[in-house]
Amino acid sequence: MTLPTPEDVDQAARGLGLGATPFELHGGLCGWLAGGGENVTDWPARVLADRAAATPAADSPLEQLRSATSAQLEDRGFGFDLLLPQGGAGLDERAQGLFDWCRAFLGGFGLAAGASPPLSEDGQEALADLARLAQASPELSEGEEDEDALAEIEEFVRVAVLLLHGDCVLGPRHRKSLN
C-alpha cells in the first residue's frame, strides 16, 4: 500500500484541528504501532495523547495513512516507507522533517511500549540512535555528500523501525503462536 502525500495528510490533519505536521503524525503512528499499540481508527487521539482528538473519516488521508503504514510494517518484503518532505524540498527542510519524524516516533513508541519494552540488544541500540537523531538539527548546506548522508540516515531509520517492530510486535506474536 502507498502512503498518502504529505500535503493530503496535512490538509486532513488541519481539518481535524490536529497540531502536528504530516511527518510528526506518521512518526508518532509508526512509533505507536512499532511499540505494540493497537491498530485502531482513533489512532490520532492515542498517538497525540489527546482524548479529544477526532477520529478520521473512513475515506480520510489519515485513515489511508494508518492502513498503509500498518500494512507496510507487516510486509515481509520490507516495503516500509517514511512519510517525509518530498524531493522538491530543500535538504534542510527534508532533514528537519526526518528529525521531527524521529521525535514523534519516540513519543508514540514510548506511549505504546512503556518503560521497559522487550528489546533485543540491536533494538536497544537502534532506539538509542533514534533518540540521538531526534535531538539533531540540520546544518545548512546542500552538497552531494550531504544528500547521500541524509539518504543513509533515512535508510537507517527505516530499518531501525522495522527492527523495533520485530522486537515488540512480531517477536511476541511469533512466541505466542509457538505456545
Side-chain angles (χ1 to χ4, degrees):
M1 286 191 95
T2 355
L3 297 173
T5 67
E7 294 77 23
D8 288 345
V9 171
D10 187 49
Q11 186 175 10
R14 287 177 192 262
L16 291 181
L18 303 179
T21 69
F23 322 116
E24 292 167 328
L25 287 170
H26 189 244
L29 173 62
C30 290
W32 174 260
L33 294 173
E38 290 180 272
N39 181 12
V40 290
T41 56
D42 71 340
W43 68 268
R46 296 167 189 245
V47 168
L48 298 173
D50 178 3
R51 292 182 186 176
T55 299
D59 61 347
S60 166
L62 293 171
E63 179 57 19
Q64 182 187 352
L65 183 68
R66 182 197 61 80
S67 60
T69 299
S70 175
Q72 287 182 0
L73 285 170
E74 298 286 332
D75 180 17
R76 293 182 183 261
F78 305 107
F80 172 68
D81 290 316
L82 306 175
L83 185 70
L84 295 172
Q86 305 293 307
L91 183 64
D92 290 335
E93 184 182 341
R94 291 184 4 247
Q96 188 62 57
L98 178 62
F99 299 148
D100 291 346
W101 192 101
C102 290
R103 270 189 291 285
F105 176 88
L106 292 173
F109 187 82
L111 286 170
S116 301
L119 298 180
S120 64
E121 193 174 313
D122 287 341
Q124 291 173 9
E125 196 173 307
L127 191 60
D129 288 342
L130 287 172
R132 280 190 279 285
L133 286 171
Q135 296 172 0
S137 57
E139 295 176 13
L140 300 173
S141 66
E142 294 285 334
E144 192 172 315
E145 287 178 9
D146 292 330
E147 285 283 345
D148 293 344
L150 183 60
E152 284 180 30
I153 293 170
E154 287 175 11
E155 181 62 14
F156 165 78
V157 169
R158 196 180 75 74
V159 171
V161 169
L162 291 171
L163 173 65
L164 292 166
H165 182 258
D167 280 0
C168 294
V169 176
L170 299 180
R173 186 187 303 156
H174 181 67
R175 284 190 291 279
K176 225 182 246 181
S177 70
L178 291 176
N179 293 330

